[in-house]
Amino acid sequence: MLSKHLPTTSRHFVRLLRPSLQTRPFSFDLALDHKQADNVPGTFHVQTYNAISPIGLSKYPASTYEVVTDRVCPTAHAIMLRSHKLKEEEVPHTTRCIARCGAGTNNIPVSRMTELGIPVFNTPGANANAVKELVLCGLLLGSRKIVQGIGAMRELGDKGEAREKVEKIKSQFGGQELKGKTLGVIGLGHIGSATARDAAALGMNVVGYDPGMSIESALKLPNNTKLVENMKSVFANCDYVSLNIPYIPSEPSEGGTHGIISRDLLMSAKKNCVIVNFARGELVDSEAMKDWFDSGSDGVYVSDFPDDLLYDHPNTILLPHLGASTEEAEDAAASMASNTIQNFLENGEIVNSVNFPETRLESRGDTTVRIAIVNENKTGVLAAILGELANANINILQQVNRSSSNIAYNVIDVELDTLSEGKFKSWAELQEGLTMVDGVISSRFMNDVYGTGYAKKIEGNYYV
């Protein structure tokens, strides 16, 4: 057994061993802050906000995960949420990751979480079918004056005149068919490519714009999709336009998408263009949209988001953010988020993160220890980490280093039997040495006792 007790200090110690879970003989002593003394080793705690799908939460094994839904968990290892606006003070020091059951993460302080070394995950594609179906519904709502017709029938019904006058009023609600018309899809990710495919099946011609389109999305597009080089070409040549791009708070001139549907684009659109927005309300410049309507346009704006300026305009149809509000989408998003959290907590794998680089590394078996380190992406940090391992006479079996902007993530598999009696006398001392390297934010020694093995540096102090 490799466990070696550290010299007596003011910290509490716990022997990390759960022989019944796995056969891997990995046990070591770690110092625990007294504030975490009630955090029973062997269980990962997942804090939830909002009502998360029970099907998604059922993905967590009850023997090794505790899902906290009815109280605040001060020792949460992961956080799951939907629309809850997360504050930094709701993220305890024990938190390893955050997952949103949905695509957008504007309700999470992502930049601050990056500084704290916490990956933020989303669930791209989980709600794609639900949103795509509502986009198609939006195209029809904008084409056939369905909403106005329903209102008129209710008024006639209240007066008892529906049967008498229905044939006289129906001419007020004429529209056009989708077949043979041209749909412009701006953004060809999961939702955009699905919209393009189904619109083509309805007989529409499809024009697409997405400078960052993936090969996966390209393969999903109808064969006759015409790709153009800018959004102005979309608005100038299409009868319908569907917005399917992410919202980035800064202005377009700064690389953002706030108000990217501008006056210039709208004034280049066809007079009767139908614009559907099931991405984010902030993509559209509302004042520019109103000016377009008031300039004589017969166009229609269908949006899934509130708009204080356009909500009562006769050319606008607003829905109460229904895009992903289906049981199927909520189940799929929660299931994806649960699986993503488990893969990260147990294996160190990062997929679908909006602030950390994708990282995968296959396990080398029962005789290895996996170490994951989050650090600032700056010169010399990786060399210092490897130096600490060399000083401990640790043999590295495999490693992967990934970086994204200001953050870097390392997963290192080392041999279990190579800790020396040199600079570090225990795995706990080694972890402290690694964590206190200049530029390192946190470290994890993945072992058989879930909820343990995590350390981070907070304002220069070592916290376990």
Side-chain angles (χ1 to χ4, degrees):
M1 184 166 298
L2 294 178
S3 177
K4 296 181 176 68
H5 292 284
L6 294 174
T8 303
T9 69
S10 61
R11 292 169 176 165
H12 301 272
F13 295 95
V14 64
R15 176 67 54 83
L16 302 185
L17 181 63
R18 188 172 50 157
S20 62
L21 181 64
Q22 299 179 10
T23 59
R24 181 159 56 113
F26 179 26
S27 173
F28 59 92
D29 292 324
L30 283 181
L32 291 183
D33 187 283
H34 69 280
K35 293 180 181 178
Q36 293 193 62
D38 61 344
N39 185 9
V40 179
T43 304
F44 280 127
H45 299 168
V46 180
Q47 174 79 68
T48 66
Y49 292 96
N50 309 118
I52 307 296
S53 159
I55 290 179
L57 296 180
S58 70
K59 302 296 181 182
Y60 293 112
S63 60
T64 51
Y65 284 81
E66 178 188 4
V67 179
V68 181
T69 62
D70 58 349
R71 57 185 171 84
V72 174
C73 178
T75 56
H77 304 113
I79 294 173
M80 285 182 74
L81 48 76
R82 291 170 60 200
S83 59
H84 174 77
K85 192 169 182 61
L86 189 68
K87 302 179 181 63
E88 181 180 344
E89 54 266 30
E90 295 174 313
V91 183
H93 295 321
T94 54
T95 302
R96 281 79 154 155
C97 64
I98 298 168
R100 181 176 186 271
C101 303
T105 55
N106 56 317
N107 57 320
I108 301 170
V110 176
S111 296
R112 181 56 179 156
M113 293 303 103
T114 304
E115 293 174 356
L116 296 174
I118 300 173
V120 176
F121 302 111
N122 65 352
T123 57
N127 63 1
N129 186 71
V131 178
K132 178 259 304 184
E133 289 186 358
L134 206 56
V135 170
L136 298 177
C137 174
L139 298 178
L140 292 168
L141 291 176
S143 299
R144 302 295 297 272
K145 296 186 179 179
I146 297 169
V147 174
Q148 298 90 326
I150 292 172
M153 288 301 291
R154 284 180 175 172
E155 289 182 9
L156 290 178
D158 289 340
K159 298 175 183 178
E161 299 175 347
R163 294 182 181 277
E164 174 188 349
K165 295 186 177 180
V166 63
E167 294 298 325
K168 296 180 181 179
I169 68 165
K170 71 178 184 180
S171 61
Q172 302 173 29
F173 308 108
Q176 61 182 8
E177 299 180 11
L178 300 181
K179 185 177 181 180
K181 305 301 188 300
T182 300
L183 169 67
V185 182
I186 297 177
L188 294 165
H190 294 283
I191 298 169
S193 58
T195 297
R197 184 176 61 249
D198 283 12
L202 291 173
M204 301 188 78
N205 304 308
V206 178
V207 171
Y209 169 74
D210 189 339
M213 181 173 56
S214 68
I215 295 176
E216 179 185 5
S217 294
L219 293 174
K220 294 178 181 178
L221 295 177
N223 293 332
N224 60 347
T225 301
K226 179 182 178 182
L227 299 179
V228 296
E229 296 182 354
N230 54 65
M231 289 194 291
K232 199 162 189 177
S233 294
V234 175
F235 277 88
N237 296 289
C238 295
D239 306 296
Y240 298 82
V241 175
S242 176
L243 307 180
N244 303 281
I245 55 179
Y247 174 64
I248 303 172
S250 55
E251 299 296 320
S253 59
E254 301 171 354
T257 57
H258 183 86
I260 197 169
I261 307 306
S262 63
R263 187 179 312 275
D264 183 50
L265 286 177
L266 292 169
M267 293 303 177
S268 68
K270 290 187 175 183
K271 184 179 179 181
N272 62 345
C273 182
V274 174
I275 301 169
V276 295
N277 178 12
F278 289 84
R280 278 293 179 268
E282 296 87 349
L283 296 171
V284 172
D285 182 335
S286 298
E287 290 187 0
M289 182 71 75
K290 184 177 185 303
D291 289 346
W292 180 55
F293 290 149
D294 294 345
S295 68
S297 168
D298 295 326
V300 178
Y301 178 49
V302 183
S303 176
D304 200 26
F305 307 95
D307 193 303
D308 294 338
L309 182 63
L310 299 171
Y311 73 95
D312 61 347
H313 197 286
N315 294 49
T316 298
I317 300 172
L318 299 183
L319 304 179
H321 200 184
L322 300 178
S325 297
T326 66
E327 293 181 7
E328 295 87 347
E330 292 179 8
D331 293 344
S335 297
M336 182 183 292
S338 297
N339 291 334
T340 300
I341 286 175
Q342 289 182 68
N343 285 336
F344 176 73
L345 292 180
E346 299 175 26
N347 306 314
E349 181 177 282
I350 291 182
V351 294
N352 298 328
S353 174
V354 299
N355 62 335
F356 270 61
E358 181 170 318
T359 308
R360 303 171 188 262
L361 189 67
E362 292 186 5
S363 173
R364 287 292 296 265
D366 296 338
T367 60
T368 64
V369 176
R370 172 156 290 184
I371 301 171
I373 298 175
V374 179
N375 61 273
E376 299 172 22
N377 185 25
K378 63 182 184 180
T379 304
V381 181
L382 180 58
I385 292 170
L386 298 179
E388 292 293 296
L389 294 173
N391 289 337
N393 195 34
I394 292 289
N395 183 37
I396 297 175
L397 297 174
Q398 62 177 354
Q399 72 177 90
V400 60
N401 170 264
R402 296 284 184 268
S403 61
S404 175
S405 187
N406 297 324
I407 203 76
Y409 183 64
N410 303 275
V411 179
I412 305 169
D413 284 350
V414 303
E415 283 187 342
L416 182 62
D417 298 329
T418 56
L419 185 67
S420 74
E421 294 288 343
K423 180 178 179 180
F424 303 111
K425 294 182 173 59
S426 70
W427 291 95
E429 283 194 344
L430 171 62
Q431 182 165 28
E432 184 168 357
L434 289 169
T435 308
M436 295 306 291
V437 166
D438 181 38
V440 168
I441 300 172
S442 65
S443 67
R444 283 198 297 144
F445 280 42
M446 278 163 254
N447 57 80
D448 292 349
V449 185
Y450 290 174
T452 62
Y454 181 66
K456 67 189 309 181
K457 186 163 50 192
I458 303 174
E459 297 180 348
N461 297 313
Y462 184 58
Y463 178 92
V464 181

